[in-house]
Amino acid sequence: MKRITALLLLCSLILTSTGVITGCSKSNTPKILVYNWGEYIDPDVVKLFEKETGIKVVMSYFEQNEDMYPVIKTGSQKYDVVCPSDYMIEKMIGEGLLTKIDYNNVPNLKNIDPAYLKSAEQFDPGNQYSVPYCWGTVGILYNKTMIKEPIDSWGALFDKDFIKRNGYTGDILMINSVRDAFAIALSYLGYSINTTDEAQIEEAKKLLQAQKPLVDAYVVDQVRDKMIGGDNPIGVIYSGEAIFTQRENPDLEYVVPKEGSNVWIDGWVIPKNAPNKEYAEKWINFMCDPEIALKNFNYITYSTPNKAARELIKDKDIKDSPIAFPAQDVLDRCTTYHYLGENMDALYIKKWNEVKSTH
């Protein structure tokens, strides 16, 4: 769901400002405009799509769902296919921003595990508007050589006694995301990550404010490199990133805390104002091909919902990875985000801004 580099963002901004991103050129080559998370697709897959279809891919990037949403909402830039997360898909469906997918043009949907299609119905009833692309969990990554005690609780981010015993006061890499940060605090307090109870949200805010002196930085993508390099002993990370970091540094351990967490699904959707719906459906169908899904999984390390692709994984350690494909008891304590409405969106953002502005 989640990697991007400053360079990719810069390229995206340059493309947008110059007008190149519109796909306009003197050439008559057909183009598909894709809006995706950074580093969230194997570049070779893009080349294969272009070779197979003759359609040029013009890619643009976003770092958070909240960055992508206003672009689609205002229509300031039209895209053919976009990759939001579950709760944002639910929001966009409710606001009439998406068009239904014609599955006659997506025969490879048969390769998606029915379990993930069922999960996706929580935010897209009937699977009318989205096709699952990747999924994962949110958890804690910690360095076993730097932290003395095993971690199994979100308390490792809030419990000052535990933190002091393990000597990482001021070293926490906290997630720079409204919903994820509040989900962590709410889970630790024993509340739903989809709560609309203002008192519970306020309590979570105060917990996050109290945590702030223990935080080295609020980050998303930077946690990967910082943890690999041993700059910090502990941070919040997405599961796909955790797999990558463990390949680079075997001292790192990933855990989904016992209090529960978020299990997310990112999916391909087609905006209502997409210039080329036909191309978008070709793209989605291509992404659901088992060999293509496997290439993407090997490149981005985020879990694939493509059952046929998983069967093709040759590395048994990855195929049976408890991070990539966690046990049912882990999934049972995880919850999908839901869109909570404009008023709740505004409230969460207000509370998060209060956290970030705390001195």
Side-chain angles (χ1 to χ4, degrees), residues 6 24 32 46 59 63 106 113 145 150 173 186 203 277 286 356:
C24 296
I32 181 171
V46 175
M59 190 80 69
E63 186 173 24
V106 190
D113 192 323
T145 67
L173 293 172
L186 289 166
E203 188 177 349
K277 184 173 185 284
F286 193 74
K356 297 292 287 293

Side-chain angles (χ1 to χ4, degrees), residues 102-130:
D102 183 349
Y103 285 109
N104 290 320
N105 299 324
V106 190
N108 283 332
L109 182 72
K110 65 184 179 183
N111 298 315
I112 303 298
D113 192 323
Y116 299 109
L117 291 173
K118 183 178 180 181
S119 293
E121 289 203 70
Q122 294 180 58
F123 55 87
D124 177 13
N127 303 116
Q128 297 183 85
Y129 295 91
S130 66

Side-chain angles (χ1 to χ4, degrees), residues 34-96:
V34 182
Y35 203 18
N36 194 13
W37 305 86
E39 296 186 52
Y40 209 37
I41 189 169
D42 185 335
D44 287 341
V45 164
V46 175
K47 295 176 183 176
L48 287 169
F49 177 82
E50 292 177 331
K51 183 178 180 180
E52 180 172 308
T53 65
I55 301 170
K56 174 69 176 176
V57 177
V58 182
M59 190 80 69
S60 190
Y61 307 96
F62 59 89
E63 186 173 24
Q64 298 184 62
N65 285 288
E66 288 71 21
D67 298 329
M68 172 276 304
Y69 166 74
V71 176
I72 304 302
K73 173 74 171 178
T74 62
S76 59
Q77 174 59 55
K78 295 180 180 180
Y79 292 96
D80 296 308
V81 64
V82 186
C83 189
S85 301
D86 34 44
Y87 71 97
M88 188 56 71
I89 293 174
E90 184 177 12
K91 177 177 182 176
M92 295 169 79
I93 291 172
E95 295 184 1

Side-chain angles (χ1 to χ4, degrees), residues 10 25 31 33 62 90 118 121-122 140 165 184 220 348 357:
L10 178 60
S25 74
K31 292 179 173 62
L33 310 181
F62 59 89
E90 184 177 12
K118 183 178 180 181
E121 289 203 70
Q122 294 180 58
I140 292 174
R165 286 201 308 273
I184 291 166
V220 178
Y348 271 89
S357 63

Side-chain angles (χ1 to χ4, degrees), residues 20-257:
V20 176
I21 196 65
T22 64
C24 296
S25 74
K26 294 179 181 179
S27 169
N28 291 323
T29 302
K31 292 179 173 62
I32 181 171
L33 310 181
V34 182
Y35 203 18
N36 194 13
W37 305 86
E39 296 186 52
Y40 209 37
I41 189 169
D42 185 335
D44 287 341
V45 164
V46 175
K47 295 176 183 176
L48 287 169
F49 177 82
E50 292 177 331
K51 183 178 180 180
E52 180 172 308
T53 65
I55 301 170
K56 174 69 176 176
V57 177
V58 182
M59 190 80 69
S60 190
Y61 307 96
F62 59 89
E63 186 173 24
Q64 298 184 62
N65 285 288
E66 288 71 21
D67 298 329
M68 172 276 304
Y69 166 74
V71 176
I72 304 302
K73 173 74 171 178
T74 62
S76 59
Q77 174 59 55
K78 295 180 180 180
Y79 292 96
D80 296 308
V81 64
V82 186
C83 189
S85 301
D86 34 44
Y87 71 97
M88 188 56 71
I89 293 174
E90 184 177 12
K91 177 177 182 176
M92 295 169 79
I93 291 172
E95 295 184 1
L97 299 180
L98 305 180
T99 190
K100 292 182 180 180
I101 297 170
D102 183 349
Y103 285 109
N104 290 320
N105 299 324
V106 190
N108 283 332
L109 182 72
K110 65 184 179 183
N111 298 315
I112 303 298
D113 192 323
Y116 299 109
L117 291 173
K118 183 178 180 181
S119 293
E121 289 203 70
Q122 294 180 58
F123 55 87
D124 177 13
N127 303 116
Q128 297 183 85
Y129 295 91
S130 66
V131 173
Y133 175 56
C134 292
W135 68 278
T137 56
V138 178
I140 292 174
L141 186 71
Y142 68 100
N143 191 311
K144 294 179 290 185
T145 67
M146 300 170 74
I147 293 180
K148 305 179 185 70
E149 302 174 48
I151 291 175
D152 67 353
S153 167
W154 289 119
L157 304 177
F158 301 109
D159 185 340
K160 293 182 180 179
D161 290 335
F162 181 91
I163 293 168
K164 186 176 181 180
R165 286 201 308 273
N166 287 276
Y168 58 94
T169 302
D171 293 326
I172 295 171
L173 293 172
M174 189 59 181
I175 192 85
N176 187 22
S177 164
V178 180
R179 288 299 297 268
D180 290 329
F182 271 90
I184 291 166
L186 289 166
S187 295
Y188 182 58
L189 293 169
Y191 302 137
S192 167
I193 66 174
N194 291 304
T195 187
T196 57
D197 186 312
E198 292 191 29
Q200 293 178 356
I201 298 170
E202 175 67 16
E203 188 177 349
K205 182 202 78 173
K206 290 180 178 178
L207 180 63
L208 291 167
Q209 286 177 320
Q211 178 204 36
K212 195 166 183 182
L214 308 173
V215 174
D216 177 37
Y218 293 94
V219 294
V220 178
D221 310 298
Q222 300 94 322
V223 66
R224 177 182 61 175
D225 295 335
K226 285 179 174 289
M227 292 297 294
I228 290 173
D231 297 338
N232 297 77
I234 186 169
V236 178
I237 200 168
Y238 300 111
S239 53
E241 296 280 22
I243 295 171
F244 180 86
T245 61
Q246 285 190 330
R247 288 176 177 174
E248 300 296 318
N249 185 342
D251 292 330
L252 299 177
E253 184 77 15
Y254 177 78
V255 61
V256 176

